[in-house]
């Protein structure tokens, strides 16, 4: 069974950014994520929606 939940390492790889950048963007509320036992987790469909929003806004943050 495939899951749509990704770790910080997986989301960093998916976005082709460093883990450090992924942590910073998540902590700043830029990337939608949630914590489970102190570790960040991300729903793939929310990451895809976040990407779509960035594309619609020309890559600018809200």
């Amino acid at each position: 069974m495939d899951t749509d939940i990704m770790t910080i390492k997986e989301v960093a790889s998916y976005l082709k950014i460093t883990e450090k950048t992924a942590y910073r963007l998540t902590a700043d509320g830029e990337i939608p994520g949630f914590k489970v036992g102190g570790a960040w987790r991300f729903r793939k469909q929310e990451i895809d929606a976040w990407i779509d929003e960035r594309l619609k806004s020309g890559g600018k943050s809200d």
Side-chain angles (χ1 to χ4, degrees):
M1 179 170 108
D2 286 333
T3 181
D4 70 340
I5 303 295
M6 297 188 289
T7 64
I8 194 84
K9 184 174 185 172
E10 291 167 331
V11 82
S13 176
Y14 186 66
L15 295 174
K16 299 191 182 342
I17 60 177
T18 66
E19 287 182 47
K20 184 177 180 178
T21 299
Y23 274 114
R24 182 179 51 79
L25 291 172
T26 303
D28 291 348
E30 290 288 321
I31 297 176
F34 58 97
K35 280 194 169 184
V36 175
W40 285 105
R41 295 293 183 260
F42 306 86
R43 289 182 192 257
K44 185 177 183 301
Q45 69 186 72
E46 289 180 359
I47 298 300
D48 290 338
W50 177 81
I51 292 168
D52 289 342
E53 282 295 313
R54 296 306 165 281
L55 291 172
K56 289 177 188 173
S57 67
K60 297 176 185 165
S61 296
D62 293 334

